[in-house]
PDB file of all heavy atoms in Angstrom:
ATOM      1  N   LYS A   1      13.872  10.467   8.489  1.00 93.00           N
ATOM      2  CA  LYS A   1      12.567  10.185   8.992  1.00 93.00           C
ATOM      3  C   LYS A   1      12.505   9.020  10.033  1.00 93.00           C
ATOM      4  O   LYS A   1      11.460   8.665  10.457  1.00 93.00           O
ATOM      5  CB  LYS A   1      11.515   9.923   7.886  1.00 93.00           C
ATOM      6  CG  LYS A   1      11.335  11.181   6.954  1.00 93.00           C
ATOM      7  CD  LYS A   1      10.334  10.741   5.882  1.00 93.00           C
ATOM      8  CE  LYS A   1      10.072  11.991   4.976  1.00 93.00           C
ATOM      9  NZ  LYS A   1       9.064  11.698   3.896  1.00 93.00           N
ATOM     10  N   ASN A   2      13.680   8.407  10.229  1.00 93.00           N
ATOM     11  CA  ASN A   2      13.758   7.270  11.000  1.00 93.00           C
ATOM     12  C   ASN A   2      12.908   6.155  10.594  1.00 93.00           C
ATOM     13  O   ASN A   2      12.160   5.525  11.322  1.00 93.00           O
ATOM     14  CB  ASN A   2      13.420   7.596  12.478  1.00 93.00           C
ATOM     15  CG  ASN A   2      14.556   8.304  13.216  1.00 93.00           C
ATOM     16  OD1 ASN A   2      15.748   8.147  12.926  1.00 93.00           O
ATOM     17  ND2 ASN A   2      14.193   9.304  14.042  1.00 93.00           N
ATOM     18  N   MET A   3      12.952   5.842   9.250  1.00 95.00           N
ATOM     19  CA  MET A   3      12.083   4.882   8.629  1.00 95.00           C
ATOM     20  C   MET A   3      12.893   3.828   7.801  1.00 95.00           C
ATOM     21  O   MET A   3      13.781   4.273   7.173  1.00 95.00           O
ATOM     22  CB  MET A   3      11.015   5.545   7.815  1.00 95.00           C
ATOM     23  CG  MET A   3      10.061   6.484   8.449  1.00 95.00           C
ATOM     24  SD  MET A   3       8.885   5.604   9.583  1.00 95.00           S
ATOM     25  CE  MET A   3       7.973   4.621   8.426  1.00 95.00           C
ATOM     26  N   VAL A   4      12.389   2.639   7.803  1.00 96.00           N
ATOM     27  CA  VAL A   4      12.900   1.630   6.883  1.00 96.00           C
ATOM     28  C   VAL A   4      11.698   1.092   6.198  1.00 96.00           C
ATOM     29  O   VAL A   4      10.591   0.885   6.772  1.00 96.00           O
ATOM     30  CB  VAL A   4      13.503   0.540   7.740  1.00 96.00           C
ATOM     31  CG1 VAL A   4      14.202  -0.517   6.798  1.00 96.00           C
ATOM     32  CG2 VAL A   4      14.681   1.091   8.649  1.00 96.00           C
ATOM     33  N   TYR A   5      11.894   0.730   4.936  1.00 98.00           N
ATOM     34  CA  TYR A   5      10.777   0.320   4.068  1.00 98.00           C
ATOM     35  C   TYR A   5      11.171  -1.038   3.364  1.00 98.00           C
ATOM     36  O   TYR A   5      12.352  -1.312   3.199  1.00 98.00           O
ATOM     37  CB  TYR A   5      10.509   1.312   3.013  1.00 98.00           C
ATOM     38  CG  TYR A   5      10.212   2.718   3.572  1.00 98.00           C
ATOM     39  CD1 TYR A   5      11.210   3.682   3.517  1.00 98.00           C
ATOM     40  CD2 TYR A   5       9.032   2.997   4.005  1.00 98.00           C
ATOM     41  CE1 TYR A   5      10.955   4.884   4.006  1.00 98.00           C
ATOM     42  CE2 TYR A   5       8.719   4.281   4.428  1.00 98.00           C
ATOM     43  CZ  TYR A   5       9.641   5.247   4.435  1.00 98.00           C
ATOM     44  OH  TYR A   5       9.403   6.515   4.943  1.00 98.00           O
ATOM     45  N   LEU A   6      10.141  -1.806   3.062  1.00 98.00           N
ATOM     46  CA  LEU A   6      10.391  -2.956   2.225  1.00 98.00           C
ATOM     47  C   LEU A   6       9.252  -2.998   1.136  1.00 98.00           C
ATOM     48  O   LEU A   6       8.079  -3.210   1.440  1.00 98.00           O
ATOM     49  CB  LEU A   6      10.352  -4.231   3.082  1.00 98.00           C
ATOM     50  CG  LEU A   6      10.602  -5.532   2.366  1.00 98.00           C
ATOM     51  CD1 LEU A   6      12.109  -5.592   1.990  1.00 98.00           C
ATOM     52  CD2 LEU A   6      10.205  -6.795   3.220  1.00 98.00           C
ATOM     53  N   GLN A   7       9.667  -2.742  -0.072  1.00 98.00           N
ATOM     54  CA  GLN A   7       8.719  -2.811  -1.174  1.00 98.00           C
ATOM     55  C   GLN A   7       8.722  -4.257  -1.706  1.00 98.00           C
ATOM     56  O   GLN A   7       9.836  -4.783  -1.951  1.00 98.00           O
ATOM     57  CB  GLN A   7       9.205  -1.821  -2.270  1.00 98.00           C
ATOM     58  CG  GLN A   7       8.380  -1.982  -3.532  1.00 98.00           C
ATOM     59  CD  GLN A   7       6.945  -1.437  -3.388  1.00 98.00           C
ATOM     60  OE1 GLN A   7       6.774  -0.421  -2.747  1.00 98.00           O
ATOM     61  NE2 GLN A   7       6.006  -2.192  -3.868  1.00 98.00           N
ATOM     62  N   MET A   8       7.565  -4.851  -1.681  1.00 98.00           N
ATOM     63  CA  MET A   8       7.433  -6.226  -2.043  1.00 98.00           C
ATOM     64  C   MET A   8       6.635  -6.344  -3.369  1.00 98.00           C
ATOM     65  O   MET A   8       5.442  -5.980  -3.236  1.00 98.00           O
ATOM     66  CB  MET A   8       6.794  -7.035  -0.928  1.00 98.00           C
ATOM     67  CG  MET A   8       7.576  -6.934   0.351  1.00 98.00           C
ATOM     68  SD  MET A   8       6.937  -7.995   1.658  1.00 98.00           S
ATOM     69  CE  MET A   8       5.316  -7.353   1.807  1.00 98.00           C
ATOM     70  N   ASN A   9       7.188  -6.867  -4.410  1.00 98.00           N
ATOM     71  CA  ASN A   9       6.401  -6.994  -5.673  1.00 98.00           C
ATOM     72  C   ASN A   9       6.482  -8.457  -6.055  1.00 98.00           C
ATOM     73  O   ASN A   9       7.156  -9.276  -5.551  1.00 98.00           O
ATOM     74  CB  ASN A   9       7.173  -6.266  -6.814  1.00 98.00           C
ATOM     75  CG  ASN A   9       7.275  -4.746  -6.537  1.00 98.00           C
ATOM     76  OD1 ASN A   9       6.309  -4.156  -5.906  1.00 98.00           O
ATOM     77  ND2 ASN A   9       8.323  -4.095  -7.031  1.00 98.00           N
ATOM     78  N   ASN A  10       5.484  -8.726  -6.950  1.00 98.00           N
ATOM     79  CA  ASN A  10       5.310 -10.139  -7.426  1.00 98.00           C
ATOM     80  C   ASN A  10       5.232 -11.109  -6.240  1.00 98.00           C
ATOM     81  O   ASN A  10       5.943 -12.122  -6.216  1.00 98.00           O
ATOM     82  CB  ASN A  10       6.434 -10.518  -8.353  1.00 98.00           C
ATOM     83  CG  ASN A  10       6.165 -11.816  -9.160  1.00 98.00           C
ATOM     84  OD1 ASN A  10       5.048 -12.274  -9.249  1.00 98.00           O
ATOM     85  ND2 ASN A  10       7.318 -12.467  -9.518  1.00 98.00           N
ATOM     86  N   LEU A  11       4.394 -10.816  -5.332  1.00 98.00           N
ATOM     87  CA  LEU A  11       4.293 -11.604  -4.074  1.00 98.00           C
ATOM     88  C   LEU A  11       3.758 -12.961  -4.397  1.00 98.00           C
ATOM     89  O   LEU A  11       2.925 -13.180  -5.344  1.00 98.00           O
ATOM     90  CB  LEU A  11       3.296 -11.003  -3.180  1.00 98.00           C
ATOM     91  CG  LEU A  11       4.029  -9.762  -2.310  1.00 98.00           C
ATOM     92  CD1 LEU A  11       2.973  -8.838  -1.742  1.00 98.00           C
ATOM     93  CD2 LEU A  11       4.931 -10.349  -1.296  1.00 98.00           C
ATOM     94  N   LYS A  12       4.233 -14.036  -3.695  1.00 98.00           N
ATOM     95  CA  LYS A  12       3.888 -15.388  -3.811  1.00 98.00           C
ATOM     96  C   LYS A  12       3.300 -15.911  -2.542  1.00 98.00           C
ATOM     97  O   LYS A  12       3.612 -15.364  -1.432  1.00 98.00           O
ATOM     98  CB  LYS A  12       5.144 -16.161  -4.189  1.00 98.00           C
ATOM     99  CG  LYS A  12       5.908 -15.700  -5.392  1.00 98.00           C
ATOM    100  CD  LYS A  12       7.249 -16.510  -5.554  1.00 98.00           C
ATOM    101  CE  LYS A  12       7.997 -16.005  -6.808  1.00 98.00           C
ATOM    102  NZ  LYS A  12       9.204 -16.775  -7.071  1.00 98.00           N
ATOM    103  N   PRO A  13       2.485 -16.946  -2.683  1.00 97.00           N
ATOM    104  CA  PRO A  13       1.876 -17.524  -1.385  1.00 97.00           C
ATOM    105  C   PRO A  13       2.985 -17.805  -0.381  1.00 97.00           C
ATOM    106  O   PRO A  13       2.723 -17.775   0.842  1.00 97.00           O
ATOM    107  CB  PRO A  13       1.258 -18.795  -1.904  1.00 97.00           C
ATOM    108  CG  PRO A  13       0.862 -18.461  -3.304  1.00 97.00           C
ATOM    109  CD  PRO A  13       1.993 -17.600  -3.851  1.00 97.00           C
ATOM    110  N   GLU A  14       4.214 -18.332  -0.764  1.00 97.00           N
ATOM    111  CA  GLU A  14       5.173 -18.630   0.140  1.00 97.00           C
ATOM    112  C   GLU A  14       5.752 -17.376   0.915  1.00 97.00           C
ATOM    113  O   GLU A  14       6.605 -17.548   1.830  1.00 97.00           O
ATOM    114  CB  GLU A  14       6.319 -19.422  -0.494  1.00 97.00           C
ATOM    115  CG  GLU A  14       6.935 -18.799  -1.704  1.00 97.00           C
ATOM    116  CD  GLU A  14       6.241 -19.338  -2.992  1.00 97.00           C
ATOM    117  OE1 GLU A  14       5.024 -19.561  -3.002  1.00 97.00           O
ATOM    118  OE2 GLU A  14       6.953 -19.598  -3.997  1.00 97.00           O
ATOM    119  N   ASP A  15       5.441 -16.180   0.510  1.00 98.00           N
ATOM    120  CA  ASP A  15       5.833 -14.892   1.214  1.00 98.00           C
ATOM    121  C   ASP A  15       4.889 -14.696   2.364  1.00 98.00           C
ATOM    122  O   ASP A  15       5.166 -13.718   3.134  1.00 98.00           O
ATOM    123  CB  ASP A  15       5.782 -13.789   0.264  1.00 98.00           C
ATOM    124  CG  ASP A  15       6.724 -13.932  -0.936  1.00 98.00           C
ATOM    125  OD1 ASP A  15       7.904 -14.274  -0.608  1.00 98.00           O
ATOM    126  OD2 ASP A  15       6.337 -13.510  -2.047  1.00 98.00           O
ATOM    127  N   THR A  16       3.869 -15.497   2.499  1.00 98.00           N
ATOM    128  CA  THR A  16       2.933 -15.253   3.689  1.00 98.00           C
ATOM    129  C   THR A  16       3.647 -15.544   4.965  1.00 98.00           C
ATOM    130  O   THR A  16       4.328 -16.521   5.207  1.00 98.00           O
ATOM    131  CB  THR A  16       1.742 -16.232   3.597  1.00 98.00           C
ATOM    132  OG1 THR A  16       0.997 -15.925   2.472  1.00 98.00           O
ATOM    133  CG2 THR A  16       0.871 -16.230   4.840  1.00 98.00           C
ATOM    134  N   ALA A  17       3.638 -14.429   5.792  1.00 98.00           N
ATOM    135  CA  ALA A  17       4.345 -14.528   7.101  1.00 98.00           C
ATOM    136  C   ALA A  17       4.098 -13.222   7.884  1.00 98.00           C
ATOM    137  O   ALA A  17       3.607 -12.180   7.311  1.00 98.00           O
ATOM    138  CB  ALA A  17       5.892 -14.617   6.834  1.00 98.00           C
ATOM    139  N   ALA A  18       4.503 -13.229   9.147  1.00 98.00           N
ATOM    140  CA  ALA A  18       4.541 -12.018   9.884  1.00 98.00           C
ATOM    141  C   ALA A  18       5.959 -11.422   9.580  1.00 98.00           C
ATOM    142  O   ALA A  18       6.907 -12.029   9.654  1.00 98.00           O
ATOM    143  CB  ALA A  18       4.443 -12.249  11.394  1.00 98.00           C
ATOM    144  N   TYR A  19       5.962 -10.101   9.300  1.00 98.00           N
ATOM    145  CA  TYR A  19       7.203  -9.363   8.971  1.00 98.00           C
ATOM    146  C   TYR A  19       7.601  -8.457  10.078  1.00 98.00           C
ATOM    147  O   TYR A  19       6.690  -7.734  10.614  1.00 98.00           O
ATOM    148  CB  TYR A  19       7.032  -8.650   7.574  1.00 98.00           C
ATOM    149  CG  TYR A  19       7.037  -9.518   6.414  1.00 98.00           C
ATOM    150  CD1 TYR A  19       6.000 -10.421   6.152  1.00 98.00           C
ATOM    151  CD2 TYR A  19       8.152  -9.555   5.488  1.00 98.00           C
ATOM    152  CE1 TYR A  19       6.027 -11.224   4.986  1.00 98.00           C
ATOM    153  CE2 TYR A  19       8.139 -10.413   4.476  1.00 98.00           C
ATOM    154  CZ  TYR A  19       7.150 -11.212   4.170  1.00 98.00           C
ATOM    155  OH  TYR A  19       7.228 -12.097   3.161  1.00 98.00           O
ATOM    156  N   TYR A  20       8.910  -8.445  10.314  1.00 98.00           N
ATOM    157  CA  TYR A  20       9.482  -7.638  11.401  1.00 98.00           C
ATOM    158  C   TYR A  20      10.642  -6.879  10.960  1.00 98.00           C
ATOM    159  O   TYR A  20      11.411  -7.323  10.088  1.00 98.00           O
ATOM    160  CB  TYR A  20       9.842  -8.515  12.575  1.00 98.00           C
ATOM    161  CG  TYR A  20       8.827  -9.352  13.148  1.00 98.00           C
ATOM    162  CD1 TYR A  20       8.554 -10.633  12.590  1.00 98.00           C
ATOM    163  CD2 TYR A  20       8.075  -8.929  14.248  1.00 98.00           C
ATOM    164  CE1 TYR A  20       7.561 -11.459  13.162  1.00 98.00           C
ATOM    165  CE2 TYR A  20       7.156  -9.845  14.863  1.00 98.00           C
ATOM    166  CZ  TYR A  20       6.909 -11.107  14.267  1.00 98.00           C
ATOM    167  OH  TYR A  20       5.914 -11.838  14.779  1.00 98.00           O
ATOM    168  N   CYS A  21      10.846  -5.648  11.447  1.00 97.00           N
ATOM    169  CA  CYS A  21      12.144  -4.950  11.163  1.00 97.00           C
ATOM    170  C   CYS A  21      12.887  -5.000  12.477  1.00 97.00           C
ATOM    171  O   CYS A  21      12.361  -5.161  13.578  1.00 97.00           O
ATOM    172  CB  CYS A  21      11.843  -3.475  10.816  1.00 97.00           C
ATOM    173  SG  CYS A  21      11.261  -2.430  11.945  1.00 97.00           S
ATOM    174  N   ASN A  22      14.178  -4.922  12.317  1.00 96.00           N
ATOM    175  CA  ASN A  22      15.112  -5.021  13.507  1.00 96.00           C
ATOM    176  C   ASN A  22      16.475  -4.624  12.946  1.00 96.00           C
ATOM    177  O   ASN A  22      16.694  -4.607  11.801  1.00 96.00           O
ATOM    178  CB  ASN A  22      15.100  -6.405  14.161  1.00 96.00           C
ATOM    179  CG  ASN A  22      15.435  -6.325  15.625  1.00 96.00           C
ATOM    180  OD1 ASN A  22      16.457  -5.664  16.014  1.00 96.00           O
ATOM    181  ND2 ASN A  22      14.692  -6.998  16.380  1.00 96.00           N
ATOM    182  N   ARG A  23      17.367  -4.327  13.899  1.00 96.00           N
ATOM    183  CA  ARG A  23      18.727  -4.216  13.482  1.00 96.00           C
ATOM    184  C   ARG A  23      19.224  -5.536  12.952  1.00 96.00           C
ATOM    185  O   ARG A  23      18.735  -6.661  13.150  1.00 96.00           O
ATOM    186  CB  ARG A  23      19.499  -3.750  14.812  1.00 96.00           C
ATOM    187  CG  ARG A  23      20.955  -3.438  14.604  1.00 96.00           C
ATOM    188  CD  ARG A  23      21.641  -3.198  15.805  1.00 96.00           C
ATOM    189  NE  ARG A  23      21.822  -4.395  16.588  1.00 96.00           N
ATOM    190  CZ  ARG A  23      22.475  -4.573  17.672  1.00 96.00           C
ATOM    191  NH1 ARG A  23      23.145  -3.556  18.197  1.00 96.00           N
ATOM    192  NH2 ARG A  23      22.615  -5.767  18.229  1.00 96.00           N
ATOM    193  N   HIS A  24      20.371  -5.473  12.125  1.00 95.00           N
ATOM    194  CA  HIS A  24      20.923  -6.627  11.745  1.00 95.00           C
ATOM    195  C   HIS A  24      22.513  -6.523  12.218  1.00 95.00           C
ATOM    196  O   HIS A  24      23.185  -5.555  11.742  1.00 95.00           O
ATOM    197  CB  HIS A  24      21.076  -6.833  10.248  1.00 95.00           C
ATOM    198  CG  HIS A  24      21.748  -7.966   9.744  1.00 95.00           C
ATOM    199  ND1 HIS A  24      21.500  -9.265  10.161  1.00 95.00           N
ATOM    200  CD2 HIS A  24      22.942  -8.069   8.963  1.00 95.00           C
ATOM    201  CE1 HIS A  24      22.370 -10.099   9.602  1.00 95.00           C
ATOM    202  NE2 HIS A  24      23.182  -9.347   8.867  1.00 95.00           N
ATOM    203  N   PRO A  25      22.910  -7.423  13.023  1.00 95.00           N
ATOM    204  CA  PRO A  25      22.135  -8.432  13.727  1.00 95.00           C
ATOM    205  C   PRO A  25      21.102  -7.921  14.752  1.00 95.00           C
ATOM    206  O   PRO A  25      21.271  -6.799  15.264  1.00 95.00           O
ATOM    207  CB  PRO A  25      23.272  -9.243  14.450  1.00 95.00           C
ATOM    208  CG  PRO A  25      24.379  -8.324  14.667  1.00 95.00           C
ATOM    209  CD  PRO A  25      24.376  -7.442  13.552  1.00 95.00           C
ATOM    210  N   ALA A  26      20.069  -8.641  14.951  1.00 93.00           N
ATOM    211  CA  ALA A  26      18.982  -8.261  15.721  1.00 93.00           C
ATOM    212  C   ALA A  26      19.226  -8.028  17.192  1.00 93.00           C
ATOM    213  O   ALA A  26      19.983  -8.652  17.791  1.00 93.00           O
ATOM    214  CB  ALA A  26      17.821  -9.247  15.486  1.00 93.00           C
ATOM    215  N   TRP A  27      18.483  -6.960  17.570  1.00 93.00           N
ATOM    216  CA  TRP A  27      18.410  -6.883  19.049  1.00 93.00           C
ATOM    217  C   TRP A  27      17.601  -8.061  19.662  1.00 93.00           C
ATOM    218  O   TRP A  27      16.943  -8.772  18.956  1.00 93.00           O
ATOM    219  CB  TRP A  27      17.640  -5.520  19.412  1.00 93.00           C
ATOM    220  CG  TRP A  27      18.356  -4.332  19.193  1.00 93.00           C
ATOM    221  CD1 TRP A  27      19.595  -3.917  19.650  1.00 93.00           C
ATOM    222  CD2 TRP A  27      18.062  -3.234  18.301  1.00 93.00           C
ATOM    223  NE1 TRP A  27      20.023  -2.680  19.272  1.00 93.00           N
ATOM    224  CE2 TRP A  27      19.019  -2.189  18.351  1.00 93.00           C
ATOM    225  CE3 TRP A  27      16.905  -3.019  17.389  1.00 93.00           C
ATOM    226  CZ2 TRP A  27      18.963  -1.030  17.608  1.00 93.00           C
ATOM    227  CZ3 TRP A  27      16.851  -1.798  16.672  1.00 93.00           C
ATOM    228  CH2 TRP A  27      17.908  -0.902  16.794  1.00 93.00           C
ATOM    229  N   THR A  28      17.610  -8.039  20.958  1.00 93.00           N
ATOM    230  CA  THR A  28      16.852  -9.224  21.631  1.00 93.00           C
ATOM    231  C   THR A  28      15.447  -8.950  21.734  1.00 93.00           C
ATOM    232  O   THR A  28      14.563  -9.910  22.014  1.00 93.00           O
ATOM    233  CB  THR A  28      17.382  -9.509  23.083  1.00 93.00           C
ATOM    234  OG1 THR A  28      17.329  -8.273  23.774  1.00 93.00           O
ATOM    235  CG2 THR A  28      18.923 -10.002  22.990  1.00 93.00           C
ATOM    236  N   PHE A  29      14.904  -7.710  21.432  1.00 93.00           N
ATOM    237  CA  PHE A  29      13.502  -7.427  21.470  1.00 93.00           C
ATOM    238  C   PHE A  29      13.012  -7.173  20.115  1.00 93.00           C
ATOM    239  O   PHE A  29      13.769  -6.855  19.119  1.00 93.00           O
ATOM    240  CB  PHE A  29      13.336  -6.120  22.409  1.00 93.00           C
ATOM    241  CG  PHE A  29      14.137  -4.876  21.941  1.00 93.00           C
ATOM    242  CD1 PHE A  29      13.652  -4.047  20.978  1.00 93.00           C
ATOM    243  CD2 PHE A  29      15.430  -4.721  22.505  1.00 93.00           C
ATOM    244  CE1 PHE A  29      14.384  -2.973  20.566  1.00 93.00           C
ATOM    245  CE2 PHE A  29      16.158  -3.696  22.029  1.00 93.00           C
ATOM    246  CZ  PHE A  29      15.645  -2.701  21.111  1.00 93.00           C
ATOM    247  N   TRP A  30      11.741  -7.359  19.884  1.00 95.00           N
ATOM    248  CA  TRP A  30      11.073  -7.174  18.662  1.00 95.00           C
ATOM    249  C   TRP A  30       9.836  -6.305  18.784  1.00 95.00           C
ATOM    250  O   TRP A  30       9.232  -6.246  19.793  1.00 95.00           O
ATOM    251  CB  TRP A  30      10.670  -8.548  18.061  1.00 95.00           C
ATOM    252  CG  TRP A  30      11.913  -9.420  17.833  1.00 95.00           C
ATOM    253  CD1 TRP A  30      12.553 -10.150  18.745  1.00 95.00           C
ATOM    254  CD2 TRP A  30      12.524  -9.556  16.524  1.00 95.00           C
ATOM    255  NE1 TRP A  30      13.605 -10.869  18.117  1.00 95.00           N
ATOM    256  CE2 TRP A  30      13.648 -10.474  16.844  1.00 95.00           C
ATOM    257  CE3 TRP A  30      12.333  -9.132  15.318  1.00 95.00           C
ATOM    258  CZ2 TRP A  30      14.444 -10.907  15.797  1.00 95.00           C
ATOM    259  CZ3 TRP A  30      13.130  -9.516  14.278  1.00 95.00           C
ATOM    260  CH2 TRP A  30      14.237 -10.371  14.509  1.00 95.00           C
ATOM    261  N   GLY A  31       9.422  -5.820  17.631  1.00 95.00           N
ATOM    262  CA  GLY A  31       8.105  -5.153  17.510  1.00 95.00           C
ATOM    263  C   GLY A  31       6.941  -6.071  17.365  1.00 95.00           C
ATOM    264  O   GLY A  31       7.173  -7.330  17.472  1.00 95.00           O
ATOM    265  N   GLN A  32       5.821  -5.557  17.146  1.00 96.00           N
ATOM    266  CA  GLN A  32       4.547  -6.464  17.012  1.00 96.00           C
ATOM    267  C   GLN A  32       4.528  -7.139  15.646  1.00 96.00           C
ATOM    268  O   GLN A  32       3.749  -8.101  15.444  1.00 96.00           O
ATOM    269  CB  GLN A  32       3.331  -5.619  17.345  1.00 96.00           C
ATOM    270  CG  GLN A  32       2.755  -4.879  16.094  1.00 96.00           C
ATOM    271  CD  GLN A  32       3.522  -3.698  15.756  1.00 96.00           C
ATOM    272  OE1 GLN A  32       4.445  -3.244  16.512  1.00 96.00           O
ATOM    273  NE2 GLN A  32       3.270  -3.037  14.646  1.00 96.00           N
ATOM    274  N   GLY A  33       5.233  -6.650  14.665  1.00 97.00           N
ATOM    275  CA  GLY A  33       5.219  -7.211  13.362  1.00 97.00           C
ATOM    276  C   GLY A  33       3.996  -6.773  12.602  1.00 97.00           C
ATOM    277  O   GLY A  33       3.107  -6.109  13.086  1.00 97.00           O
ATOM    278  N   THR A  34       3.972  -7.095  11.234  1.00 98.00           N
ATOM    279  CA  THR A  34       2.867  -6.883  10.417  1.00 98.00           C
ATOM    280  C   THR A  34       2.588  -8.089   9.603  1.00 98.00           C
ATOM    281  O   THR A  34       3.520  -8.591   9.000  1.00 98.00           O
ATOM    282  CB  THR A  34       3.074  -5.558   9.573  1.00 98.00           C
ATOM    283  OG1 THR A  34       1.837  -5.230   8.894  1.00 98.00           O
ATOM    284  CG2 THR A  34       4.152  -5.668   8.665  1.00 98.00           C
ATOM    285  N   GLN A  35       1.444  -8.445   9.492  1.00 98.00           N
ATOM    286  CA  GLN A  35       1.087  -9.739   8.807  1.00 98.00           C
ATOM    287  C   GLN A  35       0.908  -9.520   7.317  1.00 98.00           C
ATOM    288  O   GLN A  35       0.118  -8.531   6.898  1.00 98.00           O
ATOM    289  CB  GLN A  35      -0.195 -10.350   9.405  1.00 98.00           C
ATOM    290  CG  GLN A  35      -0.657 -11.672   8.648  1.00 98.00           C
ATOM    291  CD  GLN A  35       0.258 -12.793   8.971  1.00 98.00           C
ATOM    292  OE1 GLN A  35       0.930 -12.917  10.035  1.00 98.00           O
ATOM    293  NE2 GLN A  35       0.499 -13.674   7.893  1.00 98.00           N
ATOM    294  N   VAL A  36       1.525 -10.364   6.513  1.00 98.00           N
ATOM    295  CA  VAL A  36       1.366 -10.262   5.136  1.00 98.00           C
ATOM    296  C   VAL A  36       0.825 -11.664   4.711  1.00 98.00           C
ATOM    297  O   VAL A  36       1.378 -12.775   5.003  1.00 98.00           O
ATOM    298  CB  VAL A  36       2.752 -10.076   4.413  1.00 98.00           C
ATOM    299  CG1 VAL A  36       2.572 -10.362   2.867  1.00 98.00           C
ATOM    300  CG2 VAL A  36       3.223  -8.738   4.697  1.00 98.00           C
ATOM    301  N   THR A  37      -0.336 -11.658   3.957  1.00 98.00           N
ATOM    302  CA  THR A  37      -0.959 -12.942   3.546  1.00 98.00           C
ATOM    303  C   THR A  37      -1.154 -12.806   1.989  1.00 98.00           C
ATOM    304  O   THR A  37      -1.702 -11.872   1.604  1.00 98.00           O
ATOM    305  CB  THR A  37      -2.281 -13.095   4.239  1.00 98.00           C
ATOM    306  OG1 THR A  37      -2.103 -13.157   5.639  1.00 98.00           O
ATOM    307  CG2 THR A  37      -2.944 -14.450   3.776  1.00 98.00           C
TER     308      THR A  37
END
């Protein structure tokens, strides 16, 4: 499906951030990200 997932449980305030997927190591370009608060 050309999909990567991140299941996040027991979230903490310090997990608040914009989250991005990319190759590892990362390409020089990035997507728009998704905000987790």
Side-chain angles (χ1 to χ4, degrees):
K1 295 183 178 179
N2 286 323
M3 297 292 293
V4 184
Y5 305 100
L6 187 68
Q7 177 67 42
M8 306 186 296
N9 298 328
N10 191 21
L11 283 159
K12 303 177 180 181
E14 51 264 42
D15 295 318
T16 294
Y19 283 72
Y20 303 85
C21 70
N22 207 312
R23 188 187 64 174
H24 175 62
W27 287 299
T28 56
F29 55 89
W30 295 84
Q32 84 287 349
T34 186
Q35 178 67 36
V36 172
T37 302

